[in-house]
Amino acid sequence: MIPIGILAAAGVLGGSLAVFNSQDNATASEAFPRPSGSATPDATPSDRPSTPAPKATTPGNSKIDRYEAEINRLVNKARVEHGCAPLHRDPRLDKAARLHSQDMAAHSHYSHTSTDGKGPKERMEAQGYEDASSENIDAWPTTPKDAFDAWMHSPDHRANILGCQSKATGIGVALGGKHRAYWTQDFGYK
């Protein structure tokens, strides 16, 4: 008979390895290459035009609004230092990112695929944005600086942030859930 303490320790270790493995898999960024025929930066990435962007609203004063604004500030500072133009916030991408972070928090789910089975590109298109380029997600960090630092220390996330071909972004933060904080940053070509 195996003592219960050893079984419990093995269970905790196994569970921890599963969480770390799923976090490694989930934090791998998702990127979408430009469709063929769009080799030039000024080329339209899609035959069908994107829905016009709604007017940007003034950021609110909630903690989440401040966190999203800080991620945007940190990302644009890094981009300018790298020689890229700052990203503009697109309300459609903001909505896609917020809904994904909220979905992950509500369901203690951590993946680029939402609980309804949609991937990042599909989620951005559902909000009327047709020119998705990539997505970064993270969970656990409880401050914008910690989330940004985690992305910048991951080669794929860093490439998404410093990819000069992206012109737009949307940011969504949700607090709560199993991992305490969920961060999504969506990127677009226009």
Side-chain angles (χ1 to χ4, degrees):
M1 178 179 264
I2 300 173
I4 190 93
I6 292 174
L7 285 176
V12 169
L13 177 60
S16 296
L17 291 175
V19 168
F20 290 130
N21 184 44
S22 70
Q23 185 167 354
D24 287 344
N25 292 339
T27 59
S29 64
E30 292 280 329
F32 317 108
R34 284 181 177 267
S36 57
S38 299
T40 63
D42 296 327
T44 304
S46 171
D47 289 335
R48 54 188 174 173
S50 288
T51 305
K55 299 287 183 200
T57 58
T58 305
N61 229 2
S62 74
K63 184 177 194 177
I64 289 174
D65 292 328
R66 290 189 308 271
Y67 279 10
E68 291 173 356
E70 181 63 4
I71 287 283
N72 190 57
R73 186 190 73 76
L74 291 166
V75 164
N76 280 334
K77 181 176 183 278
R79 286 176 61 84
V80 168
E81 289 170 359
H82 185 69
C84 296
L87 297 168
H88 69 87
R89 296 280 297 270
D90 187 291
R92 298 165 296 179
L93 293 176
D94 277 338
K95 186 171 182 182
R98 286 181 186 131
L99 289 172
H100 188 56
S101 288
Q102 291 166 2
D103 177 56
M104 288 190 294
H107 297 98
S108 293
H109 177 76
Y110 184 50
S111 173
H112 283 287
T113 304
S114 60
T115 56
D116 66 1
K118 291 182 180 169
K121 191 171 191 299
E122 294 168 293
R123 287 186 275 101
M124 291 181 236
E125 288 173 349
Q127 300 308 318
Y129 193 89
E130 300 292 333
D131 301 301
S133 59
S134 58
E135 176 177 82
N136 287 347
I137 64 171
D138 203 351
W140 300 85
T142 57
T143 68
K145 178 86 167 95
D146 290 343
F148 173 77
D149 287 347
W151 285 336
M152 291 302 283
H153 286 95
S154 161
D156 290 339
H157 291 102
R158 182 182 178 87
N160 287 344
I161 289 170
L162 301 179
C164 294
Q165 75 280 6
S166 291
K167 307 296 182 204
T169 191
I171 302 162
V173 178
L175 303 177
K178 181 171 117 180
H179 298 300
R180 301 180 304 171
Y182 295 82
W183 308 81
T184 303
Q185 182 170 26
D186 288 331
F187 298 87
Y189 288 120
K190 287 186 175 183

